[in-house]
Every structure is written in C-alpha cells, then in structure tokens.
C-alpha cells in the first residue's frame, strides 16, 4: 500500500509542518505518528515525501528526503457533468476524480432540476470541491481534480467549440464512442447529460454529433467515469 497523501501549499524547506485541518486529520483521524512516511503535495504537480519526526494533536512534522514534480497529463480530460440529485452527485465527482478527470464542470442542464439561486450554487460548489479534494488525496493524485463554476448550456457549448475532441454522450446516437480518434494533446471535453437526457435544444446548441457508449443506458453518475475510462485507455493509460 502506498503512502498517505496530504495537501500542503508551501513545500519549501527540509522539514515541513502539516497543520490546520489537514494536520489534525493526519494526526488524530489517521493516527499517523513518528517514523511513518507520508507524501505532501500542493495539488499542482509538486510533491515532497519523508518520515514523520513529530506528531501532536494539531499536526505532524515531516523530514523531507524525497521531492519532485509531475507534469500535467495530456490530453486533458474535462468532464461536463449535469448536476445529479442527492448522493449521485457525490458518487459522480468521486469516481471522475479517481479515474483521472482533470476538470469537472457542473452543468445546469434543462432537465437537471437544479435551482440556480446564489445560495444553492455556493453550497453545491463547496460540496463538489470538497469531494474532489478528498478523492484526489485518496487516489494519491499529484494534480488534484479541479471543479469549475456551474456552467450554463451556452458556456458548455463554448468549451466544446474549443476542444481538441468534443464528446457528447446521447442514448439515441448511432456513432460509437470507441470509433473516435483520441488526440495526443489539448482538451477532451466530455458532456454527460442528466437522468432525463440532453434536451433537443441543448443538442442543437452544442452542434456536435453525439456518440453512444454501448447497448445499455448508464445512469448520469456512472456514464462519465465509463466514458472517461474508455478514452483514457486509448491515450494516457497506454
């Protein structure tokens, strides 16, 4: 089993103090003590690793003996996820983060039944970002998944227009996802509709020939991870 990963913005110095919520979580919840190795990352490609040399209820101190950086992966995977209901939102964000999505864009689709008042938007974004943050650590990522602001249909269309590979999943499409040519760089923008499907007006706005995953219809919370995995298997995972 690999070392536990925690987030720390400043990785400079031979000894690093992990305090705050992250430090308390490491020391109290995870019960990490002296001589255990942990990895610290800024979530943007830099990491530092070493044994814990001191631990208190407020955090841990790490003596760094290894450090490095990881380049951002190419192609970049941007998943536009129609906002699901309840626990399916958490499931979608966690699985997309674990599989390797770089950016998750919540989409207020016509059939999402999401009331975009300022208070609800703020709470929803806070939850999605917290889920992505925890899942990034759990899956030992050095580049943490980013959750973008909630997007309108017009903003999703703009992302698709500038994508190296625009992908819109639709259950009535005849072209299989597996037939697409995956680019070596740039953005793959993958659009996942809500439970009720992408509305005809939205498909027209996107102006992209939709594709299908297979012969079965997946829930909105699982379609994204299946499609992302299929595309990653032909690019970054080779």
């Amino acid at each position: 089993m690999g070392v536990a990963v925690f987030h720390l913005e400043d990785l400079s110095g031979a000894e690093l103090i992990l305090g705050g919520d992250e430090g308390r979580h490491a020391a109290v919840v995870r019960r990490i003590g002296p001589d255990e190795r942990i990895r610290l990352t800024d979530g943007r490609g830099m990491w530092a690793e070493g044994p814990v040399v001191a631990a208190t209820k407020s955090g841990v101190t790490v003596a760094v003996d290894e450090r490095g950086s990881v380049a951002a992966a190419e192609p970049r995977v941007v998943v536009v996820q129609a906002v699901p209901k309840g626990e399916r939102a958490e499931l979608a964000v966690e699985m997309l983060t674990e599989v390797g999505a770089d950016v998750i864009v919540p989409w207020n689709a016509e059939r999402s039944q999401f009331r975009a008042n300022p208070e609800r938007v703020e709470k929803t974004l806070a939850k999605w970002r917290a889920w992505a943050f925890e899942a990034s650590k759990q899956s030992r990522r050095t580049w943490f998944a980013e959750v973008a602001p909630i997007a309108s249909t017009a903003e999703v269309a703009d992302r698709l227009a500038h994508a190296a590979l625009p992908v819109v999943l639709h259950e009535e499409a005849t072209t299989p996802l597996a037939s697409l040519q995956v680019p070596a760089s740039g953005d793959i923008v993958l659009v996942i509709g809500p439970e009720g499907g992408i509305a005809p007006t939205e498909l027209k706005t996107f102006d992209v020939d939709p594709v299908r995953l297979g012969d079965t219809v997946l829930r909105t919370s699982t379609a994204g991870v299946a499609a992302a995995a299929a595309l990653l298997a032909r690019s970054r995972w080779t």
Side-chain angles (χ1 to χ4, degrees), residues 17-181:
I17 298 174
L18 181 66
D21 292 341
E22 284 287 272
R24 285 188 291 274
H25 181 75
V28 178
V29 179
R30 297 291 296 272
R31 297 179 181 273
I32 290 173
D35 298 327
E36 291 187 67
R37 291 186 69 83
I38 66 172
R39 174 172 288 202
L40 305 173
T41 176
D42 64 0
R44 298 184 301 278
M46 301 295 294
W47 62 270
E49 188 176 308
V52 171
V53 292
T56 67
K57 290 183 179 180
S58 61
V60 298
T61 302
V62 179
V64 176
D65 58 20
E66 290 185 64
R67 64 174 68 244
S69 62
V70 177
E74 288 280 359
R76 194 171 74 143
V77 177
V78 179
V79 180
V80 177
Q81 172 68 61
V83 180
K85 286 185 177 180
E87 63 184 16
R88 290 202 167 270
E90 184 175 1
L91 179 64
V93 173
E94 286 181 346
M95 291 198 303
L96 288 171
T97 300
E98 290 168 9
V99 83
D102 301 289
V103 183
I104 302 169
V105 184
W107 169 35
N108 187 18
E110 185 176 317
R111 296 170 179 169
S112 286
Q113 299 180 351
F114 177 76
R115 296 179 181 177
N117 61 67
E119 183 180 358
R120 190 170 184 191
V121 165
E122 184 179 352
K123 286 183 177 179
T124 297
L125 276 177
K127 286 181 179 179
W128 283 45
R129 286 169 176 162
W131 295 332
F133 180 80
E134 292 302 325
S136 292
K137 292 191 297 177
Q138 184 67 31
S139 51
R140 299 200 286 273
R141 292 179 57 152
T142 306
W143 284 89
F144 283 11
E146 171 193 343
V147 175
I150 295 176
S152 65
T153 296
E155 289 167 333
V156 174
D158 184 65
R159 282 187 179 269
L160 288 167
H162 293 88
L165 176 63
V167 182
V168 177
L169 292 188
H170 195 273
E171 61 185 43
E172 296 178 4
T174 56
T175 303
L177 174 71
S179 69
L180 300 179
Q181 295 297 312

